[in-house]
Amino acid sequence: MKGILFVLSGPSGTGKGTVCAELLKRDNNISLSVSMTTRECREGETPGVTYHYVSVEEFKHNIENGEMLEYAVYGDNYYGTPRSSVEKLLNEGKDVLLEIEPQGALQIKSKFPEAVLLFLIPPSMAELKNRLVSRGREDTEEIEKRLEAAKWELMQAEKYNIHIVNDSLDECVDRVIEYFNEKRAERRKIEELINELG
Ligand code: 5GP
């Protein structure tokens, strides 16, 4: 049985990265896809683990060669999901998690209607801004750009399978795992029925 493609998306600052890190600790059946980006590697990040860092030329070359499952320009940089590693894991029956922004998530939805899309919602816009400021990763101009992008991103929420508010991290991760397990059970049931038909 092929693995399930789970997509965790939502505006920057909703805590996608933290939720993913917790999920990976608690759910052994899921592998995180390492994205490719043209942005610079920040302090505390590890090439090949946090992202694959490439030049704009290399990224464009990968797009032209059909090597990206999805990609988006976010801020001034390209971000995207390498196709081959994700397809390999899915074909091995492993569930794969993509932690990506909404332009990419919607590309996945149109290419893989069977993918499960989860939208993480901030408790309020004030809290979103507060999280972006307090994590101290982006300068004021970049934070403004991310908040501006959040408006369009929130308008896409209704296209997702489920919305989960990230207020308390533990409760949010519990709900995500519960939802993933519901989806796995649904798929297993369908497989069983198909197998019964022979
Ligand atoms: P950051 O620069 O903060 O690491 O990421 C900026 C945004 O890009 C975040 O919303 C993050 O989820 C998103 N992102 C990371 N990897 C990918 C990817 O492979 N594809 C897309 N579409 N977005 C990504």
Side-chain angles (χ1 to χ4, degrees):
M1 191 164 121
K2 255 185 108 171
I4 302 179
L5 185 56
F6 289 110
V7 178
L8 184 76
S9 192
S12 178
T14 33
K16 298 191 292 286
T18 316
V19 170
C20 275
E22 280 305 304
L23 274 174
L24 293 174
K25 276 190 224 157
R26 290 176 47 186
D27 186 333
N28 296 325
N29 300 315
I30 207 153
S31 307
L32 182 68
S33 160
V34 179
S35 293
M36 195 170 278
T37 184
T38 59
R39 88 149 160 70
E40 83 290 356
C41 179
R42 296 186 187 132
E43 209 184 311
E45 296 185 345
T46 312
V49 177
T50 319
Y51 282 110
H52 298 292
Y53 301 91
V54 298
S55 65
V56 174
E57 291 67 36
E58 195 175 340
F59 201 104
K60 286 185 174 166
H61 178 79
N62 286 333
I63 298 171
E64 280 157 21
N65 287 337
E67 286 165 24
M68 306 309 291
L69 213 52
E70 61 73 35
Y71 72 93
V73 177
Y74 183 85
D76 298 327
N77 296 297
Y78 284 90
Y79 294 84
T81 305
R83 175 186 295 279
S84 59
S85 50
V86 172
E87 287 183 344
K88 183 170 179 286
L89 287 164
L90 290 173
N91 288 334
E92 286 167 358
K94 295 185 183 121
D95 295 340
V96 179
L97 179 62
L98 308 185
E99 188 252 283
I100 62 178
E101 56 70 58
Q103 301 172 66
L106 297 180
Q107 289 171 39
I108 294 289
K109 182 177 157 132
S110 66
K111 286 187 196 161
F112 301 89
E114 72 281 15
V116 176
L117 271 71
L118 191 150
F119 196 91
L120 215 54
I121 296 186
S124 67
M125 287 313 284
E127 179 58 21
L128 185 75
K129 185 169 185 178
N130 183 29
R131 286 180 190 174
L132 283 170
V133 172
S134 58
R135 73 185 185 182
R137 278 194 240 148
E138 291 84 14
D139 60 24
T140 317
E141 192 189 338
E142 180 62 28
I143 289 174
E144 285 309 319
K145 276 192 200 163
R146 290 187 176 212
L147 287 171
E148 188 54 38
K151 280 187 201 162
W152 178 84
E153 291 169 346
L154 284 163
M155 284 192 267
Q156 311 311 310
E158 64 189 19
K159 299 173 184 161
Y160 287 65
N161 297 88
I162 187 170
H163 311 148
I164 296 180
V165 179
N166 184 15
D167 196 350
S168 138
L169 178 66
D170 275 349
E171 281 172 26
C172 176
V173 175
D174 285 348
R175 182 67 191 106
V176 175
I177 292 176
E178 185 184 29
Y179 183 68
F180 282 4
N181 287 335
E182 280 166 27
K183 288 286 150 191
R184 287 168 171 145
E186 280 173 16
R187 296 276 165 109
R188 272 198 302 274
K189 185 70 200 163
I190 301 285
E191 285 284 322
E192 269 170 38
L193 294 173
I194 292 171
N195 289 340
E196 262 180 53
L197 288 170

